[in-house]
Amino acid sequence: KETFTCWWKPGEDGGLPTNYTLTYHKEGETTTHECPDYITSGPNSCYFNKKHTSIWTMYIITINATNKMGSSSSDPRYVDVTYSRQ
């Protein structure tokens, strides 16, 4: 429960190079943060180490895709690190 990883499967990109980012905020907070580590868990993932993990806290996570055609965002995913095994 001290670390966790989120991963996503990219959608159709129309053959264009697409940049994906993960943004999140914790329930009750207004500040949005970007993924702290896109490297450790491999492609299309975000790793949260001990410094970025809070148990008993709901994370609201969104994936954002941007390319020359524009940008779009996923529906927010609500994740409780304490109970989540998705």
Side-chain angles (χ1 to χ4, degrees):
K1 306 291 184 194
E2 294 179 329
T3 66
F4 70 101
T5 298
C6 295
W7 63 93
W8 59 91
K9 181 178 178 183
E12 292 296 319
D13 60 13
L16 297 172
T18 302
N19 183 51
Y20 295 93
T21 57
L22 179 148
T23 54
Y24 71 96
H25 68 276
K26 296 176 185 178
E27 192 171 48
E29 293 184 358
T30 56
T31 304
T32 299
H33 307 278
E34 186 171 350
C35 170
D37 180 351
Y38 289 111
I39 305 298
T40 299
S41 294
N44 303 315
S45 70
C46 178
Y47 176 75
F48 292 79
N49 64 20
K50 291 179 187 180
K51 180 180 174 184
H52 295 96
T53 302
S54 301
I55 60 171
W56 310 112
T57 301
M58 186 71 68
Y59 285 72
I60 298 91
I61 297 172
T62 305
I63 303 300
N64 311 286
T66 305
N67 62 25
K68 287 184 179 180
M69 296 289 289
S71 61
S72 65
S73 298
S74 68
D75 290 334
R77 173 69 73 128
Y78 293 77
V79 176
D80 185 330
V81 179
T82 308
Y83 298 108
S84 184
R85 290 185 180 258
Q86 299 176 358

